[in-house]
Amino acid sequence: MKINLKQAWHTLKNKPGFESFLASAAAIGIGLIFGFLLLVIFKAEKSVYGLSQILVVGFSSAAKFSKVLYQAAPLIMTGLSVGFAFKTGLFNIGASGQYMLGMFMALYSGIVWQFPWYAALIMAMLGGAIWGAMPGLFKAYFNVNEVITSIMFNWIGLFAVNVLLANIPMVLADYYGASNPDRTANMSAANKAAIIPKWGLDTLFDSTYMNISIFMAIILAVIIYFVLNRTTFGYELKACGFNRNASIYAGINAKRNIVLSMVIAGSLAGFGGGLYYLSGTAQYTIEKLLATMGFNGIPVALLATSNPIGIIFSALFISYIQVGGEAMQPEFAKEIVDIIISVIIYLSAFSLLLKGIIRKLIKQSATAGKEVAP
Amino acid sequence: MSDFIIEMLQITKEFPGIKANDNITLQLKKGEVHALLGENGAGKSTLMSILFGLYQAEHGEIHKNGQKVLINNPNDANALNIGMVHQHFKLVEVFSVLENIILGVEPTKYSVLKRNEARQKIVQLSQQYKLSVEPDALIEDISVGMQQRVEILKMLYRDNEILIFDEPTAVLTPQEIKELMAIIRGLKAEGKSILFITHKLNEIMEVADRCTVLRKGQCIGTVDIDQTSVEELSRMMVGRPVQLIVDKADLIPGEIVLAVEHLTVASKLHKNNAVKDVSFNVRAGEIVCLAGIEGNGQSELIYALTGIEKPVSGRLTLKGHDLTKSSIRDRSKAGISHIPEDRHKFGLVLDYSLAENLVLQRYWEPRFHQNGLINREAVNQYADNLISKYDIRSGQGAQTIVRSMSGGNQQKAIVAREIDKNPELLIAIQPTRGLDIGAIEYIHTQLVAQRDSGKGVLLVSLELDEVMNVSDRILVIYEGNIVGEFDPKETTVEQLGLYMAGARRNDVKGGQV
Ligand SMILES: Nc1ncnc2c1ncn2[C@@H]1O[C@H](COP(=O)(O)OP(=O)(O)OP(=O)(O)O)[C@@H](O)[C@H]1O
Ligand SMILES: [Mg+2]
C-alpha cells in the first residue's frame, strides 16, 4: 500500500500541471489565512464562526449549493473568455462589457422578440462576439493594444446597454406591473419560454436557483479545451499567442486569428451574461457599475493558469466562498471575501515564484527520501 | 595556493531525460583563455550556467583559488567576480547602453543616481579595452556587435575577473569577430581569466591557450593549443574524423527555378530602398550564394522572396508561376522553403514541443489532421522520423519543449523541417550559425543533396569559407545592388572582400542566363 502511494506521488509530481496546481492551492491557502486574520482584527470573538461560514456554508444545504452552482456557471464563462484569449496571447480585460452585451441581447430577444431560451442564448453569444470583435479588429489592423480598447468598450457597453434598456419600456419591470422602473422585467412575467429549463433539478435541490446552466458551462469548457489542444485551429491560435512572427512566417493569418480569438472570447462572456439573466431569478438593475462577474473572470482564469478544465474548478471555488461570504453577514461585511479573492489573485500573479518554491520543496523531499533509503 | 583560479570538480547535472553534465572536471588557470568545445547539446552552456549560478549541480564542487565556494545564483557569482555573456544576450532593449551597464549596481548618493560617475567609469573602461560603445544609444538601435561590447562592459564594470563567453562569435560578422579576438587578447593581457565557447576551431587556435572538449555530457579531455591541430580537436569532439571540405560533383544546371526581375524593396530603417532593381535567377541543380556584409539588403530581399514583405516593384516567378502577389502560405505550397536568419524570432515557437514545431509548416496537410482534428499519432510519428534522420538531440524526444533545447539542436530542427518539405527552392540564411562542425558537415551535405536532386538552393551567408566551399555561383550584394557575379573556382576570398566592401563593382543586370 505504502509503495503504491509512493509510486503515485512520483508519477503525479512529474506531471507538468502538478506544480501549477500546487501553486494555486498554496495561493488559496494563504488567501484564506489572510482572510481569517482580517476576521480576527474586526471581531475576534466571531472570527472562527466567520471563517467556518466561508468554508462550509456552500455545502451546508442543497439550496446553498444550488446558489454556488448558479453563480459558478456565468463565472466559468467569463473565466473561459479571459483564459481562452490569454492562451492565444491576448489580454481580454473586456469580459465585463461583453457580458453586458450578452445580457442585453438575451433580454431583448427573450422579451421583445419572445425568443425561447436557447435562441436567446445564441443572441447573447452574438452580442458578446460583436463586443469582443471590436478590440480584436483594432489590435489586428491598427495595432492598438487590446487592453486599452477593451477597457473603453467595457464603459461604452455599460452605458449603451443602460440607455437602451431605459428606453425600451417593454423590457422593464414596471411594464408588467412591478413598482421599480430601474429594473428589467421578471422573466416569468415577460416570457416563460425564455427561462433556462430546470429539468426538475429545482425540486430536487429545493432551490429556484437550480437549472441546467452549470452543465452548459461545463460542456463549453470541455469544448474549449478540446479546440485549444486537439484542433489545427487551436494550434494556430496558440502559435500566434506564443510567437506572432514565427506564425506569420509559417503562413498563418495572424490578423484573422486575433480577430477570431477575440470574437470567441467575447461570445463566451456574452453567453455567461445570457446564462445569468435567463435564469428567471436575476433581474438587471440599471446602474453605473461595471459587471463584477466579468472582472471576476480574470481571477478565475489566473487561478486556473488559463486551463479550461481548471477554470471549471476555480469558478466553483470562487463562487463557493462568495456564497459563504454572503452568509457571514451581518456579523461581517461580505466584502471580506472580495479581499480574500484579491489576495489570492495577487498571489497567483506570483505563481511563478510559488512554483519555484514548490519545485525546491519537491526536490528536497526527493533527496531526503534518497538519503533515508539504503 | 593552487594554480587554478576556478576549478569545477566532478560536476553532474541532470535534466528530465538527459544527463547534460556527467562528472565533468574543468580547471581554469589564472590569466588564460580556456576554450570549451563540444557538439550541439554536449552540455557547454549548462556547465557555464552552473558556474554562473543559473543552475545548481546535483554533484560536484566549485573551487575558487583552491577554496570551495557555493554559487546559488548570479549574485553569488558576481560576488566571486564571475561574469557571463550569454548565447542569447540579456539586455533591456528600451534602455540606453549606460543604463544597461549599471543596471543592478547603480552608483547612488542619497539614492540619487550618480550618472556622471558611472559614465566616467564606462568611458575609461571602454578606452582601456578598446570597446567602443555609444553610452546614450538605446540597445534596440545598435548593432549586434555593439550589444556584445555592452555585455562585455557590463562584466568589466562589475570588476569581474573570470569572464565567460558563450558562443560570442555566432552572431557576429567576420569583421566583428576579428575585433572580438583582439578584445579577448586585450582582456587576457590585463590578467583576466577567460572561458570561451565556440564551434569555430580556427578561433580556438587563434586565441585560446588550452581547450577542454565535451561530448554527450562527458569530458573527453583538455589539450594545450600549442600541441594540437584542428584535425585532432574535431576528432576529439565528434569521435571520428570530420571532412571540412564539401565533396561535390560537377553538375550542369538545368531550367530556371527562381527568376527575380527588377525587384525593388523598401527599407524600414531609412527612406531609400534597401534592394534596388535587382535581377537574378537560381536554376535547378545549383547553389547560388548571396554574399555581402550584413545590412546591404540581404534581409529585405529575402523577406520579399518569402512574402513577409511586399516589394515596391518587380516580379518573381517560381518555375514559371508568378508569385509576386502570393501569400506566404501559397509560396510555401508552391515549393519555397526558408531557413530564417533569426531562429527565435521567425523559426520556432519556443513554447511548443519539438513535434509541434516540426509540423509548423505543414500541420494543415491532410495527413496531419482529419477535419481539423489534429492526428497526434501522425504528428508524433513524423517528428520521430525527422528526429532520428537529422539527429536532433533533446531530453524528451518529440515532446521536449523547444525552449529547453540547446541552440544548435534548435537550428537542426528548423533545417530538418525545411529540407524535409522537399522544396523546389530552398532559401537558407546562415543555416549553420551556431552549429558544431559535425552538424555543419551534415547540413552542407544536405544542401548539396538538394542541388544534386535537381532543386535550386539560394544560400545567404556571411561566412566566406562557407560561401567558397558550397556554392556553385556567387552573387555579391552591396548597398542593395548586385555588384558582381563569380564562379567560386575562379575567384578568391580577397577579391570577394573587395566587392563586398564596395571598393569594386561591375553591375549585373538580369544575371547570367
Ligand atoms: N533548462 C533545460 N531543461 C531541460 N533540458 C535542458 C535545459 N537546458 C539544457 N537542456 C538539455 O541539456 C543538454 C545540454 O544542453 P546545452 O545547452 O548545455 O548544450 P550546448 O553544449 O550549449 O549546445 P549548443 O552548442 O547547441 O549550444 C541538451 O540536450 C538540452 O536539451
Ligand atoms: Mg549552448
Side-chain angles (χ1 to χ4, degrees), chain A residues 144-158:
Chain A
V144 181
N145 192 308
E146 76 277 9
V147 173
I148 295 164
T149 31
S150 51
I151 292 175
M152 285 164 60
F153 272 86
N154 278 342
W155 291 101
I156 299 172
L158 170 72

PDB file of all heavy atoms in Angstrom, chain A residues 144-158:
ATOM      1  N   VAL A 144      -3.563  48.607 -32.060  1.00  0.00           N
ATOM      2  CA  VAL A 144      -3.902  49.282 -30.805  1.00  0.00           C
ATOM      3  C   VAL A 144      -4.004  48.204 -29.739  1.00  0.00           C
ATOM      4  O   VAL A 144      -4.661  47.181 -29.932  1.00  0.00           O
ATOM      5  CB  VAL A 144      -5.256  50.007 -30.919  1.00  0.00           C
ATOM      6  CG1 VAL A 144      -5.563  50.726 -29.607  1.00  0.00           C
ATOM      7  CG2 VAL A 144      -5.239  50.973 -32.073  1.00  0.00           C
ATOM      8  N   ASN A 145      -3.350  48.430 -28.621  1.00  0.00           N
ATOM      9  CA  ASN A 145      -3.342  47.437 -27.556  1.00  0.00           C
ATOM     10  C   ASN A 145      -4.750  47.070 -27.102  1.00  0.00           C
ATOM     11  O   ASN A 145      -5.574  47.931 -26.810  1.00  0.00           O
ATOM     12  CB  ASN A 145      -2.543  47.994 -26.379  1.00  0.00           C
ATOM     13  CG  ASN A 145      -2.251  46.924 -25.359  1.00  0.00           C
ATOM     14  OD1 ASN A 145      -3.171  46.229 -24.917  1.00  0.00           O
ATOM     15  ND2 ASN A 145      -1.008  46.777 -25.001  1.00  0.00           N
ATOM     16  N   GLU A 146      -5.013  45.759 -27.046  1.00  0.00           N
ATOM     17  CA  GLU A 146      -6.366  45.301 -26.745  1.00  0.00           C
ATOM     18  C   GLU A 146      -6.794  45.648 -25.316  1.00  0.00           C
ATOM     19  O   GLU A 146      -7.987  45.747 -25.032  1.00  0.00           O
ATOM     20  CB  GLU A 146      -6.497  43.799 -27.000  1.00  0.00           C
ATOM     21  CG  GLU A 146      -5.873  42.873 -25.954  1.00  0.00           C
ATOM     22  CD  GLU A 146      -4.374  42.674 -26.162  1.00  0.00           C
ATOM     23  OE1 GLU A 146      -3.782  43.380 -27.002  1.00  0.00           O
ATOM     24  OE2 GLU A 146      -3.796  41.816 -25.464  1.00  0.00           O
ATOM     25  N   VAL A 147      -5.837  45.842 -24.425  1.00  0.00           N
ATOM     26  CA  VAL A 147      -6.205  46.166 -23.037  1.00  0.00           C
ATOM     27  C   VAL A 147      -6.921  47.518 -23.006  1.00  0.00           C
ATOM     28  O   VAL A 147      -7.972  47.669 -22.392  1.00  0.00           O
ATOM     29  CB  VAL A 147      -4.953  46.184 -22.141  1.00  0.00           C
ATOM     30  CG1 VAL A 147      -5.302  46.684 -20.751  1.00  0.00           C
ATOM     31  CG2 VAL A 147      -4.347  44.798 -22.055  1.00  0.00           C
ATOM     32  N   ILE A 148      -6.342  48.473 -23.714  1.00  0.00           N
ATOM     33  CA  ILE A 148      -6.909  49.815 -23.714  1.00  0.00           C
ATOM     34  C   ILE A 148      -8.300  49.815 -24.355  1.00  0.00           C
ATOM     35  O   ILE A 148      -9.269  50.298 -23.776  1.00  0.00           O
ATOM     36  CB  ILE A 148      -5.978  50.779 -24.463  1.00  0.00           C
ATOM     37  CG1 ILE A 148      -4.659  50.887 -23.696  1.00  0.00           C
ATOM     38  CG2 ILE A 148      -6.624  52.150 -24.618  1.00  0.00           C
ATOM     39  CD1 ILE A 148      -3.549  51.489 -24.495  1.00  0.00           C
ATOM     40  N   THR A 149      -8.392  49.223 -25.548  1.00  0.00           N
ATOM     41  CA  THR A 149      -9.696  49.254 -26.217  1.00  0.00           C
ATOM     42  C   THR A 149     -10.730  48.452 -25.443  1.00  0.00           C
ATOM     43  O   THR A 149     -11.890  48.852 -25.382  1.00  0.00           O
ATOM     44  CB  THR A 149      -9.623  48.691 -27.643  1.00  0.00           C
ATOM     45  OG1 THR A 149      -8.620  47.703 -27.688  1.00  0.00           O
ATOM     46  CG2 THR A 149      -9.347  49.767 -28.643  1.00  0.00           C
ATOM     47  N   SER A 150     -10.324  47.333 -24.839  1.00  0.00           N
ATOM     48  CA  SER A 150     -11.371  46.566 -24.175  1.00  0.00           C
ATOM     49  C   SER A 150     -11.846  47.274 -22.902  1.00  0.00           C
ATOM     50  O   SER A 150     -13.017  47.179 -22.546  1.00  0.00           O
ATOM     51  CB  SER A 150     -10.982  45.107 -23.943  1.00  0.00           C
ATOM     52  OG  SER A 150      -9.758  44.983 -23.325  1.00  0.00           O
ATOM     53  N   ILE A 151     -10.977  48.024 -22.249  1.00  0.00           N
ATOM     54  CA  ILE A 151     -11.456  48.814 -21.111  1.00  0.00           C
ATOM     55  C   ILE A 151     -12.453  49.863 -21.602  1.00  0.00           C
ATOM     56  O   ILE A 151     -13.526  50.056 -21.023  1.00  0.00           O
ATOM     57  CB  ILE A 151     -10.296  49.510 -20.370  1.00  0.00           C
ATOM     58  CG1 ILE A 151      -9.426  48.464 -19.667  1.00  0.00           C
ATOM     59  CG2 ILE A 151     -10.818  50.521 -19.355  1.00  0.00           C
ATOM     60  CD1 ILE A 151      -8.196  49.045 -19.018  1.00  0.00           C
ATOM     61  N   MET A 152     -12.102  50.519 -22.715  1.00  0.00           N
ATOM     62  CA  MET A 152     -13.026  51.520 -23.255  1.00  0.00           C
ATOM     63  C   MET A 152     -14.355  50.876 -23.622  1.00  0.00           C
ATOM     64  O   MET A 152     -15.427  51.428 -23.339  1.00  0.00           O
ATOM     65  CB  MET A 152     -12.408  52.193 -24.482  1.00  0.00           C
ATOM     66  CG  MET A 152     -11.324  53.188 -24.109  1.00  0.00           C
ATOM     67  SD  MET A 152     -10.279  53.659 -25.480  1.00  0.00           S
ATOM     68  CE  MET A 152     -11.477  54.356 -26.570  1.00  0.00           C
ATOM     69  N   PHE A 153     -14.286  49.711 -24.221  1.00  0.00           N
ATOM     70  CA  PHE A 153     -15.531  49.062 -24.629  1.00  0.00           C
ATOM     71  C   PHE A 153     -16.348  48.540 -23.447  1.00  0.00           C
ATOM     72  O   PHE A 153     -17.553  48.365 -23.564  1.00  0.00           O
ATOM     73  CB  PHE A 153     -15.262  47.970 -25.671  1.00  0.00           C
ATOM     74  CG  PHE A 153     -15.265  48.515 -27.056  1.00  0.00           C
ATOM     75  CD1 PHE A 153     -14.123  49.057 -27.607  1.00  0.00           C
ATOM     76  CD2 PHE A 153     -16.432  48.559 -27.799  1.00  0.00           C
ATOM     77  CE1 PHE A 153     -14.122  49.617 -28.870  1.00  0.00           C
ATOM     78  CE2 PHE A 153     -16.455  49.118 -29.063  1.00  0.00           C
ATOM     79  CZ  PHE A 153     -15.306  49.649 -29.604  1.00  0.00           C
ATOM     80  N   ASN A 154     -15.689  48.323 -22.309  1.00  0.00           N
ATOM     81  CA  ASN A 154     -16.464  47.998 -21.105  1.00  0.00           C
ATOM     82  C   ASN A 154     -17.408  49.145 -20.768  1.00  0.00           C
ATOM     83  O   ASN A 154     -18.585  48.959 -20.503  1.00  0.00           O
ATOM     84  CB  ASN A 154     -15.524  47.784 -19.908  1.00  0.00           C
ATOM     85  CG  ASN A 154     -14.943  46.390 -19.890  1.00  0.00           C
ATOM     86  OD1 ASN A 154     -15.468  45.487 -20.540  1.00  0.00           O
ATOM     87  ND2 ASN A 154     -13.863  46.207 -19.151  1.00  0.00           N
ATOM     88  N   TRP A 155     -16.855  50.338 -20.753  1.00  0.00           N
ATOM     89  CA  TRP A 155     -17.672  51.504 -20.375  1.00  0.00           C
ATOM     90  C   TRP A 155     -18.691  51.836 -21.452  1.00  0.00           C
ATOM     91  O   TRP A 155     -19.845  52.137 -21.171  1.00  0.00           O
ATOM     92  CB  TRP A 155     -16.778  52.699 -20.067  1.00  0.00           C
ATOM     93  CG  TRP A 155     -16.005  52.479 -18.810  1.00  0.00           C
ATOM     94  CD1 TRP A 155     -14.695  52.087 -18.706  1.00  0.00           C
ATOM     95  CD2 TRP A 155     -16.498  52.577 -17.478  1.00  0.00           C
ATOM     96  NE1 TRP A 155     -14.350  51.940 -17.391  1.00  0.00           N
ATOM     97  CE2 TRP A 155     -15.431  52.239 -16.601  1.00  0.00           C
ATOM     98  CE3 TRP A 155     -17.742  52.919 -16.920  1.00  0.00           C
ATOM     99  CZ2 TRP A 155     -15.559  52.240 -15.221  1.00  0.00           C
ATOM    100  CZ3 TRP A 155     -17.872  52.913 -15.539  1.00  0.00           C
ATOM    101  CH2 TRP A 155     -16.788  52.575 -14.705  1.00  0.00           C
ATOM    102  N   ILE A 156     -18.247  51.774 -22.700  1.00  0.00           N
ATOM    103  CA  ILE A 156     -19.195  52.044 -23.776  1.00  0.00           C
ATOM    104  C   ILE A 156     -20.349  51.050 -23.689  1.00  0.00           C
ATOM    105  O   ILE A 156     -21.525  51.411 -23.773  1.00  0.00           O
ATOM    106  CB  ILE A 156     -18.509  51.937 -25.158  1.00  0.00           C
ATOM    107  CG1 ILE A 156     -17.378  52.968 -25.265  1.00  0.00           C
ATOM    108  CG2 ILE A 156     -19.528  52.155 -26.277  1.00  0.00           C
ATOM    109  CD1 ILE A 156     -16.531  52.809 -26.509  1.00  0.00           C
ATOM    110  N   GLY A 157     -20.007  49.797 -23.462  1.00  0.00           N
ATOM    111  CA  GLY A 157     -21.028  48.749 -23.365  1.00  0.00           C
ATOM    112  C   GLY A 157     -21.994  49.020 -22.237  1.00  0.00           C
ATOM    113  O   GLY A 157     -23.217  48.937 -22.408  1.00  0.00           O
ATOM    114  N   LEU A 158     -21.438  49.362 -21.079  1.00  0.00           N
ATOM    115  CA  LEU A 158     -22.291  49.608 -19.915  1.00  0.00           C
ATOM    116  C   LEU A 158     -23.312  50.707 -20.206  1.00  0.00           C
ATOM    117  O   LEU A 158     -24.515  50.532 -20.010  1.00  0.00           O
ATOM    118  CB  LEU A 158     -21.413  50.015 -18.721  1.00  0.00           C
ATOM    119  CG  LEU A 158     -22.171  50.526 -17.498  1.00  0.00           C
ATOM    120  CD1 LEU A 158     -22.886  49.379 -16.805  1.00  0.00           C
ATOM    121  CD2 LEU A 158     -21.220  51.222 -16.518  1.00  0.00           C
TER     122      LEU A 158
END
